[in-house]
Amino acid sequence: MPRLVVVLPLTPLHEGDSFAVHDWPLHVTVLPPFLTDAEPGVIASAIVAATSAHSALPAVAGEDELFGRRQDVPVTIVLPTEALSQLHELLIETLRPLGASPDEPAFTGAEFRPHITIKNHARIAVGAAFALQQIALVDMAPRAASTGRTVLATINLPAAR
């Protein structure tokens, strides 16, 4: 059963791109990993239909913090915006019926805090302004999988009107 995640990459991704866990491109996770029996094309079509009226989201990098179970994962907080919160809620509402278990944390978490994980190879500067112009559906293959993470679909968001 696939485990998928929906992210907003800082630089465009392409369907079929793959990367090791430690080489994830910089991104904001807009819907945490979830299990599904649905085909990736069905998930991608649902995202396209739900977000057709959305445009690129302006964003600003906030301060650095530590996340994770042991508070040892360095991240840069993305300053909250109504548009980003609305997109998160819309994706929960849209994809919950396609999840293997509608009560899994991806669909029930009330503490959405957009952030960008700091990587050894890249980070975003505190205070930097940027635009989130694409939604990507990514297969979260097990950490040991030789294929790494694979981009299953991308949805480009038009420039803000």
Side-chain angles (χ1 to χ4, degrees):
M1 177 178 307
R3 185 169 171 253
L4 307 177
V5 65
V6 182
V7 301
L8 303 168
L10 271 61
T11 56
L13 296 175
H14 301 90
E15 188 173 322
D17 285 352
S18 63
F19 37 85
V21 172
H22 61 277
D23 289 331
W24 257 102
L26 295 180
H27 66 277
V28 175
T29 299
V30 70
L31 185 63
F34 62 97
L35 295 171
T36 182
D37 287 324
E39 292 294 323
V42 171
I43 300 283
S45 292
I47 293 171
V48 167
T51 61
S52 63
H54 281 263
S55 56
L57 304 168
V60 176
E63 298 297 319
D64 292 345
E65 290 189 23
L66 294 173
F67 272 33
R69 288 185 293 257
R70 294 184 300 271
Q71 299 291 297
D72 61 351
V73 178
V75 305
T76 302
I77 298 296
V78 175
L79 297 180
T81 66
E82 188 65 29
L84 188 53
S85 294
Q86 286 175 351
L87 179 60
H88 170 71
E89 293 298 324
L90 175 64
L91 290 170
I92 288 174
E93 181 182 313
T94 299
L95 299 180
R96 178 181 281 134
L98 300 172
S101 174
D103 62 346
E104 57 185 295
F107 302 123
T108 59
E111 299 297 322
F112 176 59
R113 292 194 63 212
H115 62 279
I116 301 164
T117 302
I118 297 170
K119 299 293 191 171
N120 290 334
H121 64 278
R123 67 159 299 147
I124 190 156
V126 172
F130 55 99
L132 298 166
Q133 302 176 41
Q134 186 184 66
I135 299 170
L137 178 64
V138 179
D139 185 345
M140 296 289 285
R143 190 174 286 269
S146 61
T147 56
R149 308 300 196 225
T150 303
V151 178
L152 301 175
T154 60
I155 298 97
N156 292 320
L157 299 171
R161 295 173 213 144

